[in-house]
Amino acid sequence: MHPPRPRTTTTALARATVVMLLAALGLLGMGAGPAAAADGDASWAVSTASNDMGSGRQNYSYTLEPGGQLKDGLVIVNHGATPLRLAVYAADGFTSKDGRLDLVTKDAKSTGVGAWVQTDRPDVTVPPGQTVKVPFTLDLPDAVAPGDYMGGIVTSPAQAGEADGADAGRRLGIRIRLRVGGELQPRLSVEDLQMRYSGTSNPFGKGDATVTYTIHNTGNAILTARQTVSVAGPFGRSDVRAGQIADSPQLLPGETWKVSVPVHGVAPVLRLTGTVTLLPLLTDASGSVAPLAAVKTTTHGWAVPWPLSVLVIVFIAVIVGVILLTRRNRVRRKLREDERVHEADEQAVHDQEAQAR
């Protein structure tokens, strides 16, 4: 799986947090909880089956050892007035550009959950006002690596021509969160950390710093990052902390998330240190959140005060002027010396000619 590397702003992170909360409540239409509850425009709805695995579930959540197998089911209800033929398939999950869980399309190759889940049938026809249950089997390979995997069961019109305008191109699905038994190694890292300072024309004013970085899930567990960013001068003085930053979306193992954070009111104290601290949050199947050890990374940058900048420019200008003046005087002296030597040579030649006569 190759997740996208989105470009992120603080506003996007706030939106991502809201989306995550909705997903936890099962209100997202694609790849989160019961897609049925979220998409009132669709002519059908999906939900988890009630069986030995549970009832009233918002999504599918399993813990299974390598080589293990389990069976479950998907329930589809047709709210329309005509028979509805739907394709039913499993797909791998990924974090989309807006920070929500999505599922790859049917024509994309799945290598995780989407490859290990098989539905009893590739499509189903649901009579109007009726409900149909589609069983499926999760069959894990023996050599699958431990850790968290995300995917889902998807329904969509079997053929585009069979869907009306409201349902054309629509997908409804329920996510599957799978934890494969073995050693869990949750890890986050901060990469490509950079800091840029923008000063002010006010000689006594403060400027803004922009801290950019990439959050990388380098472990094998699904994690959310709680973030803090600060900028300080030499020896930790003039420490300024950024405003509240929304948590990152849930990042699957191997995924990255780009962040850009403004820090206002930073004094131009020559050498600045930018610090990013990530608190990884691990969520288990029951929804409990466990904070892990914080990850701290720093970078450095220059913030030259405006008056000092002017002095430096003036100083450089003076030095350049002195150098140019020195070179000009040196050239003039050389020209005068050459002229004096030339005149002396001419006088010597004239004297020799006079003696010869």
Side-chain angles (χ1 to χ4, degrees):
M1 179 175 62
H2 300 283
R5 301 173 64 92
R7 188 174 181 177
T8 309
T9 63
T10 304
T11 302
L13 287 173
R15 187 184 308 116
T17 302
V18 175
V19 172
M20 288 171 57
L21 294 175
L22 291 176
L25 295 174
L27 298 179
L28 283 179
M30 181 60 240
D39 209 328
D41 293 334
S43 62
W44 80 98
V46 294
S47 61
T48 59
S50 296
N51 49 35
D52 293 340
M53 304 298 296
S55 60
R57 293 171 291 169
Q58 295 295 315
N59 49 63
Y60 303 104
S61 183
Y62 309 120
T63 299
L64 202 60
E65 296 298 321
Q69 184 186 84
L70 59 82
K71 295 181 180 295
D72 209 330
L74 175 75
V75 176
I76 307 172
V77 56
N78 182 359
H79 294 306
T82 59
L84 181 63
R85 184 167 174 255
L86 297 172
V88 185
Y89 60 94
D92 284 347
F94 67 93
T95 302
S96 65
K97 292 181 180 181
D98 60 1
R100 60 174 286 188
L101 173 69
D102 204 347
L103 301 175
V104 299
T105 57
K106 187 177 181 180
D107 57 350
K109 183 179 180 180
S110 291
T111 58
V113 171
W116 305 329
V117 171
Q118 298 296 325
T119 58
D120 277 15
R121 44 187 146 167
D123 58 73
V124 61
T125 299
V126 187
Q130 299 297 310
T131 297
V132 173
K133 178 181 176 181
V134 179
F136 63 84
T137 302
L138 172 57
D139 197 350
L140 277 187
D142 294 330
V144 63
D148 289 342
Y149 298 85
M150 191 73 79
I153 296 287
V154 185
T155 61
S156 63
Q159 294 181 9
E162 298 179 3
D164 59 24
D167 291 334
R170 191 180 300 278
R171 296 192 304 163
L172 298 183
I174 300 179
R175 68 181 176 183
I176 298 174
R177 178 164 180 164
L178 171 66
R179 177 163 291 176
V180 178
E183 184 181 3
L184 198 65
Q185 298 177 328
R187 287 192 302 267
L188 290 179
S189 66
V190 178
E191 300 176 356
D192 302 325
L193 176 58
Q194 299 180 30
M195 180 175 56
R196 185 179 68 256
Y197 181 78
S198 300
T200 172
S201 58
N202 183 353
F204 305 102
K206 298 180 179 179
D208 296 331
T210 301
V211 180
T212 59
Y213 54 95
T214 298
I215 303 172
H216 188 186
N217 185 346
T218 56
N220 63 358
I222 298 174
L223 293 172
T224 300
R226 184 151 294 164
Q227 312 163 71
T228 57
V229 175
S230 63
V231 176
F235 310 108
R237 296 180 178 178
S238 304
D239 186 30
V240 180
R241 178 167 294 193
Q244 185 174 1
I245 308 169
D247 294 347
S248 75
Q250 288 191 337
L251 297 178
L252 279 59
E255 287 189 331
T256 58
W257 187 256
K258 290 188 176 181
V259 185
S260 179
V261 179
V263 184
H264 305 295
V266 178
V269 288
L270 294 181
R271 189 66 166 168
L272 295 177
T273 299
T275 302
V276 174
T277 303
L278 300 182
L279 182 66
L281 303 177
L282 178 66
T283 305
D284 60 21
S286 66
S288 299
V289 178
L292 307 177
V295 177
K296 182 179 291 187
T297 309
T298 61
T299 188
H300 301 281
W302 294 100
V304 181
W306 183 81
L308 182 57
S309 300
V310 174
L311 289 177
V312 169
I313 293 173
V314 172
F315 177 76
I316 293 175
V318 170
I319 294 298
V320 171
V322 170
I323 293 174
L324 293 177
L325 182 61
T326 301
R327 287 182 177 178
R328 188 180 66 176
N329 291 338
R330 186 178 301 166
V331 170
R332 286 181 175 179
R333 286 197 300 270
K334 187 176 185 305
L335 290 175
R336 287 197 298 268
E337 180 64 22
D338 291 343
E339 184 179 356
R340 187 187 64 81
V341 171
H342 180 68
E343 291 177 351
D345 290 342
E346 287 185 344
Q347 184 63 40
V349 171
H350 179 73
D351 291 344
Q352 289 177 359
E353 291 177 347
Q355 291 177 1
R357 290 194 296 267

